[in-house]
Amino acid sequence: MPTIWAIFTPGLMMTKKQSITITKRKNKPVRFCREIKNYLMINQIIAEGVADAVKILYQADVSPQEVQIQKTRKEFEGDLTVVVFPFSRMGRKSPEAIGEQIGKFLQENLQEVGFFNVIKGFLNVSLKNNYWIDFLIEKLAEEKFGISEVQEGKPVVIEFSSPNTNKPLHLGHVRNILLGDSIASILEASGRKVARVNLVNDRGIHICKSMLAWQKWGEGTTPETADKKGDKFVGDYYVQFEKQKKLQVKQKMLEGYSEEEADRESQLMQDAREVLKKWEQGDPETRSLWSNMNEWVYLGFDETYKRIGAGFDKIYYESDTYLLGRELVKEGLERGILYEKEDGSIWCDLSDKKLSDKLLLRSDGTSVYMTQDLGTAQLRFDDYHPDKLLYVVGNEQNHHFDVLKAILQKLGKEYAKDIIHISYGMVELPHGKMKSREGTVVDADDLIDEMRETAAETTRALGKIEDFSEEEANRLFETIGLGALKYFILKVDPKKHMLFNPEESIQFDGNTGPFIQYTHARIRSLLRKAAERGFKAPYLENVHDFDLLHKERQILRLLHDFPEILQQAADTYSPALVANYVYELVKEYNGFYQDTPVLREEDENKIRFRLALSEFTARIVKSAMQLLGIEVPERM
RNA sequence: GGUCGCGUAGCUCAGCUGGAUAGAGCAACGGCCUUCUAAGCCGUCGGUCGCAGGUUCGAAUCCUGCCGCGAUCACCA
């Protein structure tokens, strides 16, 4: 289904008068009534007009969905382009001649159509000026153009972030969080009810390592006494554990052990496993230390989440969920869907799905990661009865999710089909992947600090904040720093690997967050000046039909596209579409701003129109940036 | 080795549900501030869309093969 049609969803379509009087089957020209209010329909109107033209002119049946319509490319005159190659057979004429005939038909029968031209097999249709002006007048009156009200009903549950509690958040998590949060916002803006959930991996050998290290070398310190962020504090003990273990492993290897054996048999590993065992047995002292250390980590994480601007409706903890899934497995075994090996381990045969068999319970009855994930999927289903279960998880787990879905399907879970793995690519650094062992991990907090610092330096150097209070200035630095970071990450297609070049990420020129923020601030400044001169929204009471400048029309076309872009972004879970769209819009506006007077214009109607256009642009920029979790300042 | 993904300008990325002369930004070079914020605008330079076939009126886009890069194929999570 082409995305153009996908926008006609209940939340968006037919908001006002349903006054289209298209008569597809009758053999007479089609008329549209004057008050067509839904501008999203224009593609359909043209498509149906073309279908009628073909029917009447060439006695051939073409469904409107088959009519290929695209936006007219910049270098040609027109708004919408109909591809007429497919009709040249029906009319038994050259594409040019067909284009001329259909164009003429549209011009005569559709009141929206002003002019047209034909180049090769392309029919470029220009809509009338007042179509665009009416569009602006009407949509300016709407509070949130393109943004749908959230509909009640089954929610979409989206899991993201999903950290381990033994280490602070890093750049990889940042991409995850930004994607998750933005996709959630985009879905909400498209009318979906959304629940944001986090699954915290708070148990297991990794946190036991931190615990052990703290017991051994911590000397009773806490994040407060050490004056350190809680997640950093706990992370440091994890690092220390690994460091000490490495020494032991080296020693063992000298004694002739293989690396793997040496690791397993090292004293520290043995002790860590002992801590894990105690934890599992519910040893009070171990449990208490565990919950203390995790609390520290959460305080640290919360700070980072808050700064990034991400929040969750519900947080799941693996300590609560790690035993789930066994019931499902046992049930599956009883129903003969799963099978047991001689050693007592339980497996799922997936040969019919072209996957290898998957272990679900070890011979000692303990579960594996997959078992747990089956359980949490079921839990989440029971909690929400969701429409969809989304997981924002890196693409290294593609196979895991294929298997997860396959097993749930075998177990007869209807919701298996609603599980969607939003798989995103790795973040790479200029010198390769992030490796904690090599100290090339980019810490999330440090990263944000650096972005902010650079924003502050640049802003000061440009002399932009002379009349700002200190508080205002600090707020602006944070806004710009975060804007740069978020935009840099979100503008690339989630599915693809991305290269994070620190130097490029803090550039503020060109296709960057600050560039977009700047344009917004500039427009707001213009509007403030206008207000001083007595121009107030909605500006357009008595504006009548007049010639639109090329650039004005280009901007209107882009603004007009916003709902469609939003819908596409929601359908494909891609904030990048929104990012690229808003950049394009802002670039176009800047071109207009550069050489078109607004307040310096003499004709008051033009002033009013341009103010309205500017206001509307600022509003869409703000809306779009909000979907990316990026704030736009009033001044910068 | 099997499976999946990726390969577009010096660099980072758009475009990929087939359509016009493949677009942006950065970098380089050259212009534009006594006029609404120059974090801006305009211009120049830069491409055998990894390679080879195929389908089509038309292929960066779809199909096949090859080359290169990555992920994955755990009784790790």
Side-chain angles (χ1 to χ4, degrees), chain A residues 199 318 321-326 328-329 338 346-348 350 355-362 366-378 391 397-408 411 419:
Chain A
L199 174 59
E318 288 202 1
T321 63
Y322 80 110
L323 294 175
L324 296 176
R326 293 171 177 207
L328 286 175
V329 172
L338 306 176
I346 298 172
W347 296 73
C348 184
L350 295 167
L355 295 164
S356 51
D357 290 13
K358 181 68 196 172
L359 173 89
L360 294 175
L361 284 178
R362 298 187 182 100
T366 54
S367 51
V368 293
Y369 180 50
M370 181 61 74
T371 321
Q372 190 186 136
D373 252 17
L374 294 171
T376 50
Q378 180 66 44
Y391 293 77
Q397 291 199 37
N398 284 355
H399 183 254
H400 174 79
F401 278 94
D402 288 346
V403 175
L404 177 72
K405 289 185 72 165
I407 296 174
L408 284 169
L411 292 173
I419 289 179

Side-chain angles (χ1 to χ4, degrees), chain A residues 407-614:
Chain A
I407 296 174
L408 284 169
Q409 242 160 45
K410 289 217 145 198
L411 292 173
K413 300 296 181 186
E414 274 286 312
Y415 61 79
K417 65 175 181 357
D418 301 321
I419 289 179
I420 294 167
H421 174 203
I422 299 177
S423 159
Y424 64 91
M426 313 251 97
V427 181
E428 279 166 37
L429 298 171
H431 40 273
K433 284 166 91 178
M434 287 195 286
K435 296 219 171 91
S436 43
R437 280 192 212 135
E438 290 160 32
T440 54
V441 174
V442 177
D443 178 79
D445 299 311
D446 294 350
L447 179 61
I448 300 170
D449 284 343
E450 262 172 58
M451 302 294 282
R452 193 201 120 99
E453 201 36 54
T454 308
E457 280 165 24
T458 308
T459 306
R460 288 204 183 94
L462 290 169
K464 295 278 189 181
I465 48 162
E466 271 130 31
D467 58 337
F468 278 52
S469 70
E470 202 184 319
E471 196 193 323
E472 268 182 305
N474 282 329
R475 200 176 145 66
L476 180 64
F477 302 154
E478 185 86 3
T479 302
I480 297 174
L482 274 171
L485 175 63
K486 291 181 176 183
Y487 187 84
F488 187 82
I489 289 174
L490 289 175
K491 76 176 175 190
V492 347
D493 184 341
K495 291 195 295 290
K496 295 191 175 173
H497 293 226
M498 68 165 290
L499 184 83
F500 188 88
N501 184 333
E503 275 157 37
E504 272 177 38
S505 70
I506 41 182
Q507 292 293 317
F508 296 163
D509 304 323
N511 191 357
T512 66
F515 169 73
I516 296 163
Q517 291 171 319
Y518 172 73
T519 306
H520 179 267
R522 232 186 186 187
I523 298 176
R524 299 302 304 165
S525 167
L526 176 66
L527 294 171
R528 280 192 298 274
K529 293 229 159 75
E532 282 166 22
R533 287 190 28 191
F535 291 105
K536 296 266 159 63
Y539 309 110
L540 285 167
E541 296 86 15
N542 50 11
V543 168
H544 38 262
D545 198 4
F546 58 84
D547 285 343
L548 290 170
L549 297 173
H550 180 69
K551 281 182 175 161
E552 292 170 334
R553 184 181 272 253
Q554 293 299 110
I555 294 169
L556 283 166
R557 281 174 55 183
L558 282 166
L559 294 167
H560 187 275
D561 285 344
F562 180 58
E564 188 189 325
I565 298 291
L566 173 54
Q567 193 55 49
Q568 250 176 62
D571 291 343
T572 57
Y573 308 113
S574 176
L577 296 180
V578 175
N580 289 320
Y581 164 80
V582 71
Y583 171 64
E584 205 183 331
L585 173 61
V586 150
K587 205 164 41 133
E588 196 65 48
Y589 182 86
N590 274 326
F592 159 79
Y593 180 93
Q594 192 69 26
D595 51 32
T596 314
V598 179
L599 292 172
R600 297 191 306 254
E601 167 63 46
E602 282 169 21
D603 181 343
E604 196 179 306
N605 277 328
K606 285 188 181 166
I607 296 181
R608 290 180 181 284
F609 170 75
R610 286 172 192 166
L611 286 171
L613 183 66
S614 299

Side-chain angles (χ1 to χ4, degrees), chain A residues 213-226 233 237 289 296:
Chain A
W214 185 84
Q215 278 177 321
K216 277 182 154 2
W217 308 299
E219 293 168 0
T221 50
T222 66
E224 290 82 52
T225 62
F233 181 83
Y237 284 101
L289 172 62
W296 294 337

Side-chain angles (χ1 to χ4, degrees), chain A residues 164-168 200-224 228-241 275 279 284-302 317:
Chain A
N164 288 358
T165 57
N166 61 320
K167 274 184 270 179
V200 178
N201 186 5
D202 60 341
R203 66 157 284 282
I205 193 72
H206 56 273
I207 185 70
C208 290
K209 290 177 181 176
S210 290
M211 286 157 65
L212 183 67
W214 185 84
Q215 278 177 321
K216 277 182 154 2
W217 308 299
E219 293 168 0
T221 50
T222 66
E224 290 82 52
K228 197 163 248 177
K229 205 160 153 279
D231 51 332
K232 301 277 162 54
F233 181 83
V234 173
D236 286 349
Y237 284 101
Y238 182 81
V239 170
Q240 198 167 355
F241 175 95
V275 175
W279 183 90
E285 203 186 319
T286 307
R287 286 283 181 150
S288 148
L289 172 62
W290 169 78
S291 64
N292 273 338
M293 289 193 84
N294 274 331
E295 264 327 298
W296 294 337
V297 173
Y298 299 147
L299 286 174
F301 282 177
D302 284 348
Y317 297 93

